[in-house]
């Protein structure tokens, strides 16, 4: 009995240490250092660190600017902020100040990062504490540094496996069957491994879309031409689905619709360049595969039963939870967002067509996200990003680039226009939901 009690005490101590090491402990714990006095400089330092962290978590420009304005108002300062995906210009001053010593202006270079929902949740709670004057801006700035310095919850192996899981789910939605699923999953893991290498080698990161697309294109074409019963187009598209910049294009459209023209244009051109890299990589891999001898392929595999489509949202939600770096406990909200996106788009597609069906799906997801944010006091993006990610037109944009490479200019223009319509429908759904259910917090 004494041994059991001793083991239980050790487990309890380990759980307490783990809790102290979580991001929540950095938000709600004791001050990390002596509190700095309230003032313009500490408030500006907190504002700059917050803006850099939000942009690094993938927040659109208008949401970042709204957050900064709300924060400055709570602290009793005036602020002018100008955000782009890679730069930030902030001027902060005391209310009614005219003297130069009462005004601060900073220009900050920002490195864009991947979406991190767990860090975003921690930043959301931290901003709330600063706005309520529970902690000083100086202490809040130190907590932001500690939050950003904390190692991510999900390691490279987990993220690579999530790439494969999302690729398998995508192959189901694209009509794959038989060997399409395991091969798409394996190639998706390969893309995840290349992504992990890219985080350590900047040169690989810059070429990641082209490198991943050429590798996947070569392997998928080689398997098909060596007699393996697969659909190469399904396997190819499913394997690189995580790299498709559909969410980037949708976010850019949303920024343009809210008059953030510089940020929206820059983000949109970044998405176009990614599409071009993917198209170049696919063409390169296909040409290399053509050098190999061809074996007559057997009949394509049979399609999966209709009920298999119901498994895709679950696989997508599990993969998105890891890829978007959410806490495991938030996986249920990610799944709910994916289910709402699928149900809304399918229902809207039957009534109004595929393009306008995306509007219904986005409206359903965005409305639920704002209700969830007001009810639980959590970030809107916790449900909004995975739901919209399930609807984004990245695959359509990729098909447009592929048609252009095949000299089908008319098909490429038609497909690109369809992608633009879907992106605008998604942005419109988000804006309508924001007007119908105003968010409590800008985050």
């Amino acid at each position: 009995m004494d041994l059991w009690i001793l083991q239980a005490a050790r487990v309890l101590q380990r759980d307490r240490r783990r809790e102290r090491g979580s991001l929540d402990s950095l938000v709600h714990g004791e001050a990390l250092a002596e509190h700095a006095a309230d003032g313009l400089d500490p408030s500006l330092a907190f504002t700059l660190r917050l803006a850099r962290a939000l942009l690094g978590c993938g927040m659109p420009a208008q949401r970042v600017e709204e957050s900064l304005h709300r924060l400055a108002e709570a602290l009793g300062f005036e602020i002018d902020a100008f955000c782009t995906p890679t730069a930030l210009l902030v001027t902060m001053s005391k209310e009614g100040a005219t003297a130069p010593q009462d005004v601060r202006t900073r220009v900050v270079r920002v490195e864009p990062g991947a979406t991190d929902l767990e860090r975003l949740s921690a930043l959301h709670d931290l901003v709330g504490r600063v706005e309520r004057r529970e902690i000083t801006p100086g202490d809040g700035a130190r907590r932001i540094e500690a939050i950003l310095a904390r190692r991510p919850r999900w390691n490279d192996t987990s993220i690579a496996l999530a790439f494969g899981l999302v690729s398998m789910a995508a192959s189901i939605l694209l009509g794959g069957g038989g060997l399409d699923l395991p091969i798409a999953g394996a190639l998706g893991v390969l893309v995840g491994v290349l992504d992990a290498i890219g985080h350590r080698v900047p040169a690989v990161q810059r070429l990641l879309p082209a490198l991943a697309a050429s590798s996947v294109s070569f392997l998928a074409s080689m398997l098909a031409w060596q007699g393996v019963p697969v659909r190469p187009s399904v396997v190819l598209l499913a394997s690189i689905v995580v790299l498709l910049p559909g969410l980037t294009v949708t976010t850019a459209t949303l920024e343009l619709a809210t008059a953030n023209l510089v940020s929206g244009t820059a983000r949109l051109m970044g998405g176009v360049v990614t599409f071009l890299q993917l198209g170049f990589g696919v063409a390169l891999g296909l040409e290399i595969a053509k050098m190999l001898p061809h074996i007559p392929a057997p009949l394509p595999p049979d399609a999966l039963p209709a009920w298999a489509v119901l498994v895709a949202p679950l696989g997508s939600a599990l993969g998105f939870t890891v890829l978007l770096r959410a806490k495991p406990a938030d996986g249920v909200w990610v799944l709910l967002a994916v289910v709402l996106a699928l149900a809304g788009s399918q229902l809207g597609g039957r009534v109004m067509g595929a393009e306008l069906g995306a509007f219904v799906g986005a409206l359903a997801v965005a409305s639920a996200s704002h209700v969830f944010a007001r009810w639980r006091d959590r970030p809107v993006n916790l449900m909004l990003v995975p739901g919209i990610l399930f609807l984004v037109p990245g695959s359509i944009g990729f098909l447009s680039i592929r048609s252009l490479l095949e000299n089908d200019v008319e098909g490429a223009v038609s497909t690109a226009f369809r992608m633009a319509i879907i992106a605008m429908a998604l942005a419109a759904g988000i804006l309508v939901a924001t007007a119908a259910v105003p968010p409590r917090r800008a985050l």
Side-chain angles (χ1 to χ4, degrees):
M1 179 65 71
D2 293 340
L3 180 60
W4 292 352
I5 295 175
L6 181 60
Q7 290 177 344
R10 289 176 178 174
V11 171
L12 181 59
Q13 290 175 358
R14 185 170 64 248
D15 290 343
R16 287 176 176 174
R17 286 195 300 268
R18 185 181 299 113
E19 179 65 23
R20 287 196 297 267
S22 66
L23 293 183
D24 290 338
S25 66
L26 296 177
V27 176
H28 301 287
E30 298 296 329
L32 299 183
E34 182 181 356
H35 283 229
D38 287 320
L40 182 58
D41 290 328
S43 299
L44 178 60
F46 176 73
T47 301
L48 292 176
R49 286 186 174 91
L50 175 64
R52 180 179 294 176
L54 293 178
L55 289 173
C57 289
M59 291 283 288
Q62 79 276 6
R63 300 289 293 277
V64 175
E65 292 177 1
E66 290 173 7
S67 301
L68 299 185
H69 281 287
R70 177 188 173 98
L71 175 63
E73 182 179 356
L75 296 177
F77 295 100
E78 295 179 353
I79 190 172
D80 287 315
F82 178 75
C83 295
T84 71
T86 58
L88 175 69
L89 175 61
V90 174
T91 297
M92 179 177 283
S93 62
K94 297 179 181 179
E95 291 185 350
T98 57
Q101 63 268 23
D102 294 331
V103 180
R104 301 288 188 274
T105 299
R106 296 291 186 274
V107 179
V108 180
R109 178 72 165 85
V110 180
E111 289 294 335
T115 302
D116 192 323
L117 295 181
E118 184 175 11
R119 283 181 176 174
L120 183 61
S121 296
L123 294 172
H124 173 275
D125 295 340
L126 180 62
V127 171
R129 294 197 67 192
V130 174
E131 290 178 350
R132 294 189 297 270
R133 302 297 181 97
E134 295 177 6
I135 59 176
T136 64
D139 186 37
R142 288 186 289 272
R143 291 174 188 260
I144 289 179
E145 292 296 330
I147 289 172
L148 297 181
R150 183 59 54 90
R151 292 181 60 185
R153 177 185 296 272
W154 305 103
N155 56 27
D156 292 339
T157 302
S158 301
I159 293 177
L161 293 176
F163 267 81
L165 187 59
V166 172
S167 295
M168 292 181 66
S171 67
I172 295 176
L173 297 174
L174 293 172
L179 293 178
D180 293 338
L181 272 68
I183 292 177
L187 294 180
V189 171
L190 173 62
V191 175
V193 171
L194 293 175
D195 179 70
I197 295 174
H199 288 301
R200 292 174 170 80
V201 184
V204 175
Q205 185 66 27
R206 298 186 190 99
L207 297 173
L208 178 62
L211 181 61
S214 60
S215 302
V216 169
S217 176
F218 169 75
L219 293 174
S221 302
M222 181 191 68
L223 291 174
W225 290 344
Q226 297 304 309
V228 180
V230 296
R231 298 178 177 88
S233 58
V234 171
V235 171
L236 169 62
L237 190 54
S239 301
I240 62 174
V241 68
V242 177
L243 299 181
L244 296 176
L247 183 61
T248 300
V249 173
T250 302
T251 303
T253 305
L254 185 61
E255 290 175 335
L256 292 172
T258 54
N260 287 272
L261 303 182
V262 175
S263 180
T265 302
R267 199 182 300 271
L268 180 62
M269 292 310 299
V272 171
V273 171
T274 302
F275 275 129
L276 292 175
Q277 287 192 53
L278 291 171
F280 168 75
V282 169
L284 178 61
L286 185 61
E287 290 300 321
I288 296 175
K290 287 181 179 180
M291 302 177 184
L292 301 176
H294 292 191
I295 298 176
L299 294 176
D302 295 332
L304 295 174
W307 59 264
V309 179
L310 301 177
V311 181
L314 178 60
S316 299
L318 291 175
F320 287 165
T321 301
V322 178
L323 293 177
L324 298 176
R325 295 164 175 80
K327 293 189 292 188
D330 292 330
V332 62
W333 304 114
V334 176
L335 176 60
L336 178 60
V338 170
V339 171
L340 285 174
L342 178 62
S345 61
Q346 292 291 331
L347 179 62
R350 292 181 181 180
V351 176
M352 298 182 293
E355 288 77 9
L356 295 181
F359 168 78
V360 178
L363 180 62
V365 170
S367 299
S369 300
H370 284 90
V371 171
F372 163 76
R374 294 181 66 89
W375 170 45
R376 304 279 294 185
D377 194 20
R378 302 291 303 279
V380 174
N381 278 13
L382 189 59
M383 284 186 63
L384 182 62
V385 171
I388 297 299
L389 191 59
F390 196 77
L391 298 171
V392 292
S395 59
I396 299 177
F398 172 74
L399 294 177
S400 174
I401 297 297
R402 189 170 183 179
S403 298
L404 194 61
L405 292 173
E406 295 174 353
N407 294 324
D408 183 8
V409 178
E410 182 178 354
V413 173
S414 175
T415 309
F417 182 74
R418 185 184 176 196
M419 179 193 70
I421 291 295
I422 293 179
M424 191 64 242
L426 294 176
I430 296 173
L431 293 175
V432 171
T434 303
V437 188
R440 179 184 300 175
R441 305 266 298 275
L443 297 181

